[in-house]
């Protein structure tokens, strides 16, 4: 469990005392939960809204598919790589302070994306937005974990958190399609600016500064890890573009930097991930499941968006509407999962989510030449959302009590690393295979295999916890 004895529980005892005397404590806590949930919803929206406008952006800015992939991975790579430093930073400097700083950076960077004159400026602003997201997510998740220390109550709160987040995920493609069709692709970036500002203000008004806790920042490990992830992603993207010599050079650099990262972490006095967090058990299983989850979901969304526009000649609006059923399932599944987890534990929603999603991916793989089959299968892929709040509950329960902020950071860093690599690998498969219906089928065959692996990691993650997490249903 993430919140236990030995820690300052003043935030948990009265978590949302806030600055608004007119609000009751329960209302302040509810408003704060919504605001903190909006943090993840905004992050998810920004991750998915770009997928549906990639083809439009390419027509406007020129360039190849590799540059378009960087519009996605330029966001997810710093998001993944910096969260492991942002979690301890939130513990050290104060979770509310770090969260609000993240909102401010995110709002400014997203506005910058709307004004970007070319790919370099756009990708640079996406990197800044990913950095803001990395500051927001672990601090907001740790605040929720402290506010709801009981497993069943926390599972329900995470259901709200996951539901709001998945609503953001769901809104991305259809809202992006509508806005791009009406006012061009730049308009999709303006949505996040007022939401970031409002959520940041709500967090300031409804929460007290949390106690600062001693925490060491592994600057060297963070820099090496981020470089290794960026180089590896670049190598995969270059393979998809057919630039093998460049890809090999990047792969060699990845191996070298990756080896340096491993050596640095083995000898570090304060490694990015404390050694007592990485042993066999449910926490490691939840982290592995998070990687698989985002690899499959982000990669599938990228390939479906490109496939519908490139293979089946859908407009940007038509693509957004075709993806809408899948995103609605994602929103419903995440919300439902929190309550199912509170009642029955995490194993049932995790297995149902990955199993149903694997069937959906197989439908797309078999029927890739028929856009109706793509829509139906992609909708079923959305069932993977049943696993998200459940695996988060497993991670928060299993993490050592001394690492509250870091636990959520490790899980979500693994998820976003999976997302970055999913976009790179599956985008490379789709592009290298010719961006045809068989290419789409091949990409979704790979998604099917990854989701089946998710069933296996879910079984491992819940081997000793599926009866414990949902035991308190009062």
């Amino acid at each position: 469990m993430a919140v236990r004895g030995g820690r300052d529980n003043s935030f948990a005892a009265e978590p949302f005392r806030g600055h608004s005397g007119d609000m009751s404590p329960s209302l302040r806590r509810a408003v704060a939960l919504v605001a903190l949930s909006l943090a993840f919803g905004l992050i998810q929206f920004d991750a998915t809204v770009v997928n549906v406008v990639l083809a439009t952006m390419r027509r406007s800015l020129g360039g190849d598919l590799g540059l378009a992939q960087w519009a996605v991975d330029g966001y997810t790579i710093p998001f993944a790589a910096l969260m492991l430093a942002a979690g301890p930073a939130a513990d050290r400097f104060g979770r509310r302070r770090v969260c609000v700083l993240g909102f401010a950076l995110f709002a400014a960077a997203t506005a910058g994306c709307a004004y970007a004159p070319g790919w370099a400026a756009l990708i640079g602003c996406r990197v800044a937005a990913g950095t803001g997201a990395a500051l927001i997510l672990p601090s907001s998740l740790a605040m929720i974990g402290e506010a709801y220390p009981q497993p069943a109550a926390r599972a329900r709160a995470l259901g709200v958190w996951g539901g709001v987040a998945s609503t953001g995920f769901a809104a991305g493609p259809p809202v992006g399609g509508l806005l791009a069709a009406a006012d061009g692709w730049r308009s999709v970036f303006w949505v996040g600016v007022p939401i970031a500002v409002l959520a940041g203000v709500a967090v300031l008004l409804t929460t007290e500064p949390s106690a600062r806790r001693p925490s060491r920042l592994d600057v060297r490990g963070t820099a090496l890890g981020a470089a290794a992830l960026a180089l590896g992603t670049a190598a995969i993207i270059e393979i998809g573009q057919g630039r093998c010599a460049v890809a090999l050079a990047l792969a060699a650099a990845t191996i070298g930097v990756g080896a340096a990262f491993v050596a640095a972490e083995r000898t570090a006095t304060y490694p990015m991930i404390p050694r007592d967090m990485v042993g066999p058990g449910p926490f490691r299983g939840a982290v592995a499941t998070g990687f698989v989850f985002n690899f499959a979901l982000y990669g599938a969304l990228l390939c479906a968006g490109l496939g519908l526009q490139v293979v089946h000649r859908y407009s940007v609006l038509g693509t957004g509407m075709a993806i809408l059923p899948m995103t609605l399932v994602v929103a419903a599944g995440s919300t439902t999962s929190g309550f199912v987890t509170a009642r029955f534990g995490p194993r049932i929603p995790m297995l149902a989510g990955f199993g149903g999603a694997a069937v959906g991916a197989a439908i797309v793989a078999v029927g890739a030449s028929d856009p109706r089959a793509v829509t139906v299968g992609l909708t079923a892929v959305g069932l993977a959302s049943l696993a998200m709040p459940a695996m988060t509950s497993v991670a928060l329960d299993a993490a050592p009590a001394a690492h509250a902020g870091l636990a959520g950071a490790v899980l979500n860093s693994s998820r976003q690393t999976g997302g970055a690599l999913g976009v790179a690998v599956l985008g490379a498969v789709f592009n290298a295979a010719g961006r045809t219906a068989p290419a789409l089928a091949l990409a979704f065959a790979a998604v099917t295999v990854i989701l089946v692996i998710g069933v296996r990691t879910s079984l491992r993650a819940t081997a000793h916890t599926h009866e414990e997490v949902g035991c308190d249903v009062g």
Side-chain angles (χ1 to χ4, degrees), residues 231 235 246-256:
L231 288 167
V246 176
L248 286 173
L250 289 168
T254 302
I255 293 170

Side-chain angles (χ1 to χ4, degrees), residues 11 15-20 32 36 86-87 89-104 135-136 138-144 146 199-213:
F11 184 67
F16 301 122
R17 191 161 63 251
H19 304 286
S20 178
L36 293 169
D91 289 339
R92 182 176 182 179
F93 299 112
R95 290 161 189 162
R96 190 183 75 168
R97 177 177 296 178
V98 170
C99 186
V100 172
L101 175 63
F103 277 122
L135 295 174
I136 293 169
S139 54
S140 64
L141 184 56
M143 292 166 76
I144 292 173
E146 281 197 329
V201 170
V203 169
L204 278 175
L205 293 179
T206 58
T207 68
E208 284 289 312
S210 56
R212 299 187 188 186
R213 296 165 174 82

Side-chain angles (χ1 to χ4, degrees), residues 211-371:
R212 299 187 188 186
R213 296 165 174 82
S215 184
R216 302 279 184 169
L217 303 180
D218 182 8
V219 177
R220 182 176 62 166
T222 299
L224 289 171
L229 179 57
L231 288 167
T233 302
I236 295 168
I237 290 174
E238 290 301 307
I239 289 173
Q241 296 298 316
R243 295 188 279 263
C244 295
V246 176
L248 286 173
L250 289 168
T254 302
I255 293 170
V257 175
F261 169 74
V262 172
E265 291 302 288
R266 284 179 174 173
T267 59
T269 305
Y270 300 98
M272 293 174 67
I273 305 176
R275 294 174 182 89
D276 60 350
M277 294 184 70
V278 296
F283 183 79
R284 189 167 75 175
V287 169
T289 302
F291 178 93
V292 171
F293 177 88
N294 270 39
F295 189 106
L297 210 59
Y298 279 44
L301 192 60
L302 175 83
C303 291
L306 290 172
L308 287 168
Q309 293 183 69
V310 175
V311 177
H312 296 296
R313 305 298 181 186
Y314 276 36
S315 67
V316 64
L317 178 59
T319 299
M321 293 300 103
I323 296 174
L324 176 61
M326 177 248 197
T327 58
L328 293 176
V329 170
V330 167
S334 293
T335 305
T336 302
S337 174
F339 295 95
V340 174
T341 301
R343 180 66 181 87
F344 300 106
R347 173 168 282 197
I348 290 175
M350 289 174 74
L351 295 181
F354 279 107
V359 172
I363 291 173
V364 179
V366 172
S369 60
D370 184 346

Side-chain angles (χ1 to χ4, degrees), residues 23-24 52 87 122 146 155 276 331 360 398 421 466:
M23 285 189 184
S24 67
V52 78
L122 176 65
E146 281 197 329
D276 60 350
L421 294 178
H466 64 282

